[in-house]
Amino acid sequence: MAVAQELHFGRAAARLNMTQPPLSMAIQSLETALGVALFERTNRQVSLTEAGTAFLTEVEQVSERLELAVGRARKIAAGEAGEVRLGVLPSCSVLPEFLRTLRSRRPGLVLDLHEATTAEQLALIRDRRIDAGLIRPPVDVPTDLEHFVVATQLLVAVLPHDHRLTELSTVPIDTFRGERFIGTPADTANGLHGRVTALTAARNFEPNVVQVVREIPTVMALVSGGEGISIVPKSGFESGYPGIVVRPIGMPTGAPPPEIDLWLAWSRRNNRTPLLGMLEAMRRRLT
C-alpha cells in the first residue's frame, strides 16, 4: 500500500521507517507469490499495473476491516463493546433509566434482555445463561452472588376502586389486618414476599392471603377484579390499571420503611469483559 500510494520506493521506505533495499525485496517476493507484476518500474518512475490497481483496492478494504477488527477487539477487552445478557423483572420501572445510562456511558454494549422473576434469574445466573439480573433481594443469597443496589422502590397499597380504604389518603399498615390479600410466593428467592411479611410482622400479624401469584401484572388484575388488596413496588405501571386505586402505606414510628431495594446481581465466577464494563458504568452512575 505504501509503495502504491507513494509511487516511489524511497518515499515509501521513509514512510515505513525502513531502508529501500528490503522494501524492494518485499515487493518482489509479493509479486512472485501472486504470480503477477504489481508495478511497472523505469529509471524515472514507478506506476501501477492494472493488476496492481485492482489489488490495491482490495488490500485497502482488507486494511480497513483489519483496523475495525483491532478496534473492536480492544473495545471488547476494555468492556466497551460486546453483548451482555441481562435479566429483568416484569414491569421493571427502572429499565428505561438503566438503558439510557448504559447507552450514554457504554454505547458499544448491546443488551440481550430476558424477562424473568427473581427466582428464575438466580437460576439463569447460576447456569451462566444470563450475565446479570435486575432482581429484588432474595431471602437466601447464593454464596457466589455479587450485587449492588441500583434503586430503592417505595411499596404502595393497591386497592379495588370501590374498596372502603380508598377513602384514606394514606393506608396504615394495621388496616391490612384481616383484609383479603393477594400475595406472592413464599419462597427464599422472592424478596417482595419477605418485605411485605416484615411490614406486617412489625405490627404482629400476617396478611390474610387468599391468592398467591408470581407476577405483579397478575396481582394487579386480581385486585382490579375485586379479589382483594395487595402491596407492590411503586413503578407507575400500577396506576394505569383500570379499577385500581394506589395509596401510600403508613408505618408507625420505628417500624421498617415501606421500601424494597432493586439489585443488579451477577456471579463472581463470571468475568466476561462486557459484563464488567456494564457493571463499571452502572457503579459510576451511583457515585
Side-chain angles (χ1 to χ4, degrees):
M1 284 178 59
V3 176
Q5 291 166 355
E6 297 290 343
L7 293 178
H8 190 284
F9 278 83
R11 290 196 299 269
R15 172 174 154 184
L16 297 170
N17 295 314
M18 63 188 298
T19 59
Q20 183 173 333
L23 177 58
S24 298
M25 292 178 61
I27 293 295
Q28 290 172 2
S29 297
L30 177 60
E31 289 176 321
T32 299
L34 295 176
V36 298
L38 299 174
F39 296 96
E40 293 179 354
R41 306 165 179 83
T42 68
N43 291 334
R44 293 187 174 183
Q45 66 178 15
V46 176
S47 60
L48 283 167
T49 63
E50 290 189 20
T53 299
F55 190 62
L56 174 63
T57 300
E58 300 296 332
V59 168
E60 287 175 333
Q61 292 178 8
V62 170
S63 178
E64 290 175 1
R65 293 292 302 171
L66 180 59
E67 289 181 8
L68 290 173
V70 170
R72 179 164 176 77
R74 287 173 175 167
K75 286 183 177 180
I76 290 177
E80 296 176 357
E83 181 182 81
V84 180
R85 300 160 299 176
L86 179 69
V88 296
L89 294 166
S91 302
C92 183
S93 62
V94 305
L95 184 58
E97 181 186 357
F98 188 99
L99 295 174
R100 284 192 293 268
T101 299
L102 192 62
R103 191 178 298 114
S104 66
R105 295 184 174 174
R106 289 289 190 279
L109 289 178
V110 176
L111 289 183
D112 178 17
L113 297 179
H114 299 256
E115 191 175 70
T117 64
T118 290
E120 290 167 343
Q121 289 189 52
L122 291 174
L124 292 172
I125 290 172
R126 179 196 64 211
D127 296 339
R128 301 290 290 271
R129 293 167 61 191
I130 62 174
D131 297 303
L134 288 168
I135 66 172
R136 298 189 184 97
V139 176
D140 289 341
V141 180
T143 56
D144 68 334
L145 195 74
E146 298 281 356
H147 76 275
F148 55 82
V149 176
V150 294
T152 298
Q153 295 176 292
L154 188 68
L155 294 174
V156 294
V158 287
L159 315 165
H161 71 95
D162 55 355
H163 196 279
R164 62 181 181 82
L165 293 178
T166 60
E167 298 177 0
L168 303 175
S169 59
T170 298
V171 179
I173 191 65
D174 287 328
T175 60
F176 282 82
R177 193 188 305 265
E179 291 285 342
R180 292 170 58 85
F181 192 85
I182 311 301
T184 51
D187 59 60
T188 58
N190 182 6
L192 179 57
H193 173 84
R195 285 300 297 139
V196 170
T197 300
L199 295 179
T200 59
R203 303 302 295 163
N204 299 311
F205 74 94
E206 293 183 359
N208 175 29
V209 177
V210 295
Q211 292 277 3
V212 175
V213 293
R214 295 175 56 193
E215 308 288 353
I216 297 297
T218 309
V219 172
M220 307 304 293
L222 290 174
V223 172
S224 178
E227 288 298 303
I229 66 177
S230 193
I231 295 174
V232 300
K234 182 175 176 57
S235 63
F237 294 108
E238 66 280 348
S239 59
Y241 281 82
I244 283 182
V245 174
V246 181
R247 292 287 185 266
I249 298 172
M251 297 297 296
T253 302
E259 297 174 340
I260 188 168
D261 289 336
L262 188 70
W263 289 2
L264 178 58
W266 69 99
S267 170
R268 67 171 59 97
R269 295 180 290 112
N270 189 341
N271 59 0
R272 293 187 64 239
T273 50
L275 167 64
L276 301 180
M278 181 191 74
L279 296 176
E280 181 185 358
M282 299 315 296
R283 278 197 184 99
R284 288 174 56 194
R285 165 186 174 270
L286 301 172
T287 58

